[in-house]
Amino acid sequence: LGVGGPVHCSIRAYYARWGYGFSGHLFWYDSQILSLAIVAATTTCVHFGNRFVVVFSHLFLMVTVLSIVCVLAGAVAFALGIYDGNLQPYDRSPMENLWPRFEPDPFTGVTPDVFSSLALVYPSVTGILNGMSQSHRLKHPSQSIPRGTFWSIVASTGIYLAVCWVVGTTVSNRTLKVDKFVAASLAYPHELIVRAGVVVSALGLVLGCMSTAPNLLSAMADDELLPCLNRLKENR
């Protein structure tokens, strides 16, 4: 799920802009096959040891942070009128989105509200909990876990609010509803950085799940919660 969505959206968004006459698929079940290939690659990385996981995790984090910086830089430059990206000058409408302007979805007919929009913020306070399963690697878990969890929530929520505020107070309401990847359209110096950041962040999610899941299974085997896991305990 964490890989399939970004891969599918990246393929569709790329060819929606550059692939004229594109049917929507590279080949049959392209998103599913590419997602399975990515999962297999990350599993192989985890198999070779935690050292490789740490190296790739830092690399993915750097690309993700770079894409966020490019979005913020492009949005500020767009607001100042010195950079348009893939948008047009008429897409610039400062402070137009300060008040709610919800409209029915053209496909479902459902009109969203503030509470349904909170689902977009949900990942900012949940994904960081995956790091707790790596507590056995910490020197002082009782101190590091609460502190790290708190600052992770602060940092991720701050990034969410910063991007929403800068983009929302700059781009027109109609453009935000029509351009489903407006963050990439605003990115400076090129939108491909943000598109790569989306895919790489998904890779980091899968890599984190693959590296932490064995620890959870091992802990369950030690506690003898499921008889079928006793074999894992015996082989340790």
Side-chain angles (χ1 to χ4, degrees):
L1 179 62
V3 178
V7 169
H8 177 73
C9 293
S10 299
I11 293 175
R12 295 298 297 271
Y14 180 87
Y15 281 96
R17 182 174 297 277
W18 293 296
Y20 300 103
F22 179 61
S23 62
H25 296 280
L26 295 173
F27 45 83
W28 287 105
Y29 302 104
D30 52 356
S31 298
Q32 293 85 344
I33 294 175
L34 290 175
S35 299
L36 289 175
I38 291 174
V39 171
T42 53
T43 303
T44 303
C45 177
V46 173
H47 175 73
F48 283 110
N50 188 69
R51 182 165 60 99
F52 291 93
V53 174
V54 173
V55 172
F56 281 102
S57 297
H58 290 168
L59 177 62
F60 295 160
L61 178 62
M62 291 172 58
V63 176
T64 303
V65 172
L66 177 62
S67 64
I68 295 173
V69 172
C70 290
V71 172
L72 293 175
V76 172
F78 182 73
L80 297 176
I82 58 179
Y83 177 76
D84 291 335
N86 288 324
L87 301 180
Q88 301 297 327
Y90 54 77
D91 293 321
R92 186 182 298 106
S93 183
M95 303 300 174
E96 181 183 353
N97 301 300
L98 288 181
W99 305 106
R101 293 177 58 184
F102 296 109
E103 297 179 0
D105 187 277
F107 299 101
T108 64
V110 177
T111 302
D113 54 21
V114 175
F115 296 101
S116 60
S117 300
L118 292 177
L120 300 175
V121 189
Y122 180 75
S124 70
V125 294
T126 56
I128 57 176
L129 300 179
N130 291 333
M132 290 186 179
S133 58
Q134 297 282 359
S135 59
H136 64 285
R137 303 182 186 276
L138 300 175
K139 186 175 182 180
H140 302 290
S142 60
Q143 299 178 7
S144 300
I145 290 179
R147 188 178 305 168
T149 301
F150 173 77
W151 286 112
S152 296
I153 293 176
V154 171
S156 56
T157 304
I159 292 173
Y160 269 71
L161 294 177
V163 173
C164 290
W165 176 261
V166 174
V167 176
T169 56
T170 303
V171 183
S172 67
N173 185 272
R174 178 53 51 188
T175 302
L176 291 176
K177 295 176 179 177
V178 173
D179 190 347
K180 302 302 182 182
F181 215 160
V182 67
S185 301
L186 279 173
Y188 177 86
H190 201 280
E191 63 177 298
L192 287 180
I193 300 177
V194 176
R195 298 182 187 277
V198 171
V199 176
V200 165
S201 63
L203 293 178
L205 172 63
V206 176
L207 191 62
C209 293
M210 291 296 179
S211 60
T212 57
N215 297 327
L216 297 178
L217 293 176
S218 177
M220 293 173 64
D222 290 340
D223 294 338
E224 300 181 352
L225 297 178
L226 296 175
C228 60
L229 297 178
N230 289 340
R231 182 176 180 84
L232 298 178
K233 179 181 178 182
E234 294 173 358
N235 291 337
R236 291 186 59 190

